[in-house]
């Protein structure tokens, strides 16, 4: 049964609502706006705040609902929740509808942790993100995302929840990969420019 829910989660995550909303509204490619990421931030930039918030909400729920339903009525328990919870994040980050490309998976990550922990996990991530926003440059949002996930990790370690820690490891690895350009250290960036 967990295989079915993993497939459902992956398919749910792979639907790129931001791309659909932006391109339907503007008749332009979302890859041409901002950093080209098919996410809600670029919908806000190119199509306005309200459509951007709608895209963000849809990205959130495509992570939240599969996990919540799998746990509540899908008969999923124990280690089976690990692939089910990770699958929407993987679907969003590596969507088959975008030739295995995708978004940065932040909103969908909030969604899966809501399904797993209700308000606790997202609150910790959000509070950590807000805290780091005062000390980290907006140009390095990747660090803000990853450090916020470490705030969640501390909570999971205190709870001694090994299954949730496994999900955290997969989730954070995907987030780090999708933000890899922003996570590069200044020295590495300078070396890259010299090589070019």
């Amino acid at each position: 049964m967990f295989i079915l829910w993993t497939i459902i989660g992956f398919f749910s995550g792979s639907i790129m609502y931001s791309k659909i909303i932006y391109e339907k509204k503007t008749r332009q490619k979302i890859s041409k706006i901002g950093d080209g990421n098919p996410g809600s931030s670029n919908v806000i930039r190119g199509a306005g705040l309200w459509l951007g918030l709608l895209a963000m909400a849809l990205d959130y729920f495509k992570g939240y609902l599969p996990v919540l339903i799998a746990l509540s009525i899908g008969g999923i328990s124990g280690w089976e929740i690990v692939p089910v919870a990770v699958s929407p994040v993987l679907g969003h980050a590596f969507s088959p509808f975008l030739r295995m490309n995708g978004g940065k998976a932040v909103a969908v990550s909030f969604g899966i942790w809501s399904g797993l922990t209700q308000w606790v996990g997202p609150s910790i991530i959000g509070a950590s993100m807000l805290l780091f926003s005062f000390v980290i440059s907006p140009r390095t949002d990747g660090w803000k995302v990853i450090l916020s996930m470490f705030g969640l990790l501390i909570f999971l370690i205190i709870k001694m929840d090994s299954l949730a820690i496994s999900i955290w490891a997969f989730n954070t690895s995907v987030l780090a990969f999708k933000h890899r350009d922003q996570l590069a250290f200044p020295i590495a960036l300078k070396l890259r420019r010299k090589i070019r």
Side-chain angles (χ1 to χ4, degrees), residues 37 47 53 84 89-90 99 101 111 124-125 131 140 145 155 190:
N37 177 59
L53 291 176
V84 173
V89 176
L90 291 173
R99 299 179 182 178
N101 290 315
I124 293 172
I125 299 171
L131 174 65
T140 55
V145 171
F155 168 74
K190 289 179 182 178

Side-chain angles (χ1 to χ4, degrees), residues 118-141:
Q118 295 305 306
W119 59 271
V120 179
S123 295
I124 293 172
I125 299 171
S128 300
M129 203 169 283
L130 181 63
L131 174 65
F132 288 120
S133 68
F134 291 106
V135 295
I136 295 179
S137 166
R139 290 178 295 176
T140 55
D141 278 343

Side-chain angles (χ1 to χ4, degrees), residues 64 67-68 71 109-125 152 155-156 159 161 164 167:
Y64 174 61
V67 174
L68 178 68
L71 284 171
S109 294
F110 271 91
I112 68 162
W113 287 105
S114 293
L116 291 166
T117 67
Q118 295 305 306
W119 59 271
V120 179
S123 295
I124 293 172
I125 299 171
L152 176 62
F155 168 74
L156 298 177
K159 281 191 65 179
D161 190 338
I167 295 167

Side-chain angles (χ1 to χ4, degrees), residues 1-15 62 65-67 69-70 84 87-88:
M1 184 62 73
F2 81 93
I3 295 176
L4 173 62
W5 282 105
T6 300
I7 294 170
I8 291 172
F10 183 85
F11 178 77
S12 174
S14 68
I15 301 172
K62 73 183 185 181
L65 290 177
V67 174
I69 295 171
V84 173
S87 61

Side-chain angles (χ1 to χ4, degrees), residues 33-34 39 44 68 72 86 136:
I33 187 77
I44 292 172
L68 178 68
S72 58
V86 172
I136 295 179

Side-chain angles (χ1 to χ4, degrees), residues 9 107 140 147 174:
T140 55
L147 290 173
V174 173

Side-chain angles (χ1 to χ4, degrees), residues 154-165:
I154 293 170
F155 168 74
L156 298 177
I157 291 173
I158 292 171
K159 281 191 65 179
M160 299 183 66
D161 190 338
S162 58
L163 290 176
I165 291 172

Side-chain angles (χ1 to χ4, degrees), residues 86-106:
V86 172
S87 61
V89 176
L90 291 173
H92 181 83
F94 307 103
S95 174
F97 300 114
L98 292 181
R99 299 179 182 178
M100 305 311 290
N101 290 315
K104 294 183 177 177
V106 176

